[in-house]
Amino acid sequence: MTFSGIIVAAGSGSRAGGDKQWRRLGGKPVLRWSAEAMLGAGAAELIVVVAPGAEGRAAEALNGLSGWRAIAGGDARADSVQAGLAALTCAPDRPVLIHDAARPLLSTEIIARLVAALDDADGALPALAVADSLRRADDRTITQAVARDDLWRAQTPQAFRRGVIESAYAAWADAEPPTDEAMVVQRAGGRVILVPGDPRLLKLTFPEDFAMAETLLSQDAPRYQTRIGSGYDVHRWGPGGSVWLCGIEVPHDQTLIGHSDADAGLHALTDAILGAIAAGDIGDHFPPTDPKWKGASSDQFLVHAAELTAQRGGRIVNVDVTLICERPKVKPHRQAMRDRIAALLDLPLDVVSVKATTTEGLGFTGRGEGLAAHAVVAVEMPVR
């Protein structure tokens, strides 16, 4: 199934409380649901149209996905769609699916129906027959019963071949912008057909719609299991004036020696996360033989492990780091360390623990030869 996709995510979403495309639904940004569905169904290219200046927010929401590009849209939806069409690189006969980011629960089945429908139509859109009785009212007073025969609730994506929709927009002469692309193609004389829609493909318009979508997701959410990971790291002391521990630079009369910044606390924590998701160890991802990581901040190692966890559908539940040394004193810096780890992992502070202990003068840490760190994490991972 070969097609290109456009996701329109440039609106303000004011009726839903604002910025609905960036809000989290089922643990992911609303925009990411549609992008994953399009890319997972085989989109050859995906254009994400956002408000001017919001390209960075799109990059954050879609981190880890490939095959998409963000561009700035216009004031009206039709302007954003035309900007998306202009950004495509596909041939004129390629099917293009134009979708609203506010409809996150898009399925592969809907995409397949739309692409297939273009074999004998100029356009297609998913729709649901109106089941409720309809009334027209004036200031809440009923004035007329409206027959529901032949009435349908239109959804997105709407599908057209690129050349068809671009030509239709070029022929649009009305001063008012169209309500959707089907209207544009119909006005140009094209034939647009309906395919069976999906009740789950609801549009997030009002705050209560988020609660409904969360309920729908919970019904078929994957089962999760809790995995425990542990990490251990050691570095020797050497000449220096400060030491990096758990992301914080601590004044000291020595420093830890290592290929990177030798932050044993973050190294142990990184290994613990990688262990919980069975993704090897820190050396597999950041080899000490690679000069690229000489003196590197260990923050990026930890963030990388967290991103791998998120990409696999996991969620870090809590972390616990223990630093083992005679000096320096950790307690004065412990709160700053917790704050830093919580920020790096995007976790609430109350699930981040940092502790310190000595070995009562025993062993290499007791003799002041080096510092050790041990970390334990709990991660929830979907059962596949």
Side-chain angles (χ1 to χ4, degrees), residues 40-366:
E45 60 179 334
L46 178 63
I47 305 299
V48 179
V49 187
V50 298
E55 292 86 351
R57 299 188 76 174
E60 181 180 354
L62 303 182
N63 182 46
L65 300 181
S66 59
W68 66 274
R69 289 182 289 127
I71 66 165
D75 294 334
R77 184 183 186 281
D79 298 327
S80 294
V81 171
Q82 291 181 83
L85 289 168
L88 292 172
T89 62
C90 62
D93 63 344
R94 168 77 60 81
V96 176
L97 272 60
I98 302 169
H99 188 49
D100 295 332
R103 294 185 186 271
L105 304 186
L106 175 62
S107 67
T108 301
E109 290 75 17
I110 291 289
I111 293 173
R113 290 173 198 166
L114 290 167
V115 173
L118 295 183
D119 288 343
D120 58 3
D122 298 304
L125 61 87
L128 299 172
V130 173
D132 298 320
S133 62
L134 301 176
R135 297 292 186 272
R136 195 182 305 279
D138 181 9
D139 192 24
R140 295 192 300 166
T141 299
I142 294 175
T143 60
Q144 181 185 5
V146 180
R148 64 191 179 204
D149 298 339
D150 300 324
L151 290 180
W152 297 80
R153 294 160 48 201
Q155 300 178 314
T156 67
Q158 298 186 0
F160 315 89
R161 297 195 184 276
R162 181 185 182 182
V164 170
I165 184 61
E166 287 185 326
S167 296
Y169 262 118
W172 183 265
D174 199 320
E176 292 295 320
T179 56
D180 64 6
E181 288 62 60
M183 181 179 181
V184 177
V185 172
Q186 285 179 286
R187 186 75 60 87
R191 176 172 174 263
V192 181
I193 64 174
L194 304 179
V195 303
D198 184 350
R200 292 168 52 89
L201 196 52
L202 79 164
K203 186 176 182 182
L204 302 177
T205 303
F206 303 104
E208 56 267 28
D209 295 331
F210 278 83
M212 176 63 74
E214 290 283 4
T215 299
L216 291 172
L217 286 172
S218 68
Q219 293 175 353
D220 59 356
R223 293 183 298 114
Y224 283 84
Q225 63 179 196
T226 300
R227 298 185 184 178
I228 305 300
S230 68
Y232 181 75
D233 193 51
V234 171
H235 285 281
R236 61 186 175 87
W237 289 113
S242 64
V243 58
W244 284 94
L245 293 173
C246 293
I248 299 299
E249 187 173 17
V250 177
H252 191 46
D253 57 5
Q254 291 180 297
T255 193
L256 292 174
I257 305 301
H259 186 65
S260 63
D261 63 5
D263 189 328
L266 292 192
H267 291 182
L269 184 52
T270 299
D271 261 351
I273 295 173
L274 293 173
I277 65 173
D281 59 34
I282 195 170
D284 295 326
H285 298 264
F286 304 97
T289 55
D290 188 341
K292 177 180 179 180
W293 308 117
K294 179 66 175 177
S297 169
S298 297
D299 290 5
Q300 57 192 311
F301 304 162
L302 183 63
V303 170
H304 173 75
E307 289 175 346
L308 283 180
T309 302
Q311 290 167 18
R312 299 181 183 193
R315 182 179 73 89
I316 298 172
V317 178
N318 73 295
V319 304
D320 183 19
V321 180
T322 302
L323 301 174
I324 307 166
C325 59
E326 300 294 324
R327 295 188 311 125
K329 293 296 184 183
V330 171
K331 188 173 182 179
H333 310 282
R334 185 168 60 187
Q335 187 60 46
M337 294 175 182
R338 294 179 64 213
D339 290 339
R340 183 58 181 157
I341 292 173
L344 290 171
L345 297 179
D346 194 20
L347 292 174
L349 188 62
D350 64 357
V351 301
V352 176
S353 171
V354 174
K355 311 188 303 293
T357 188
T358 71
T359 55
E360 300 293 339
L362 301 176
F364 71 90
T365 58

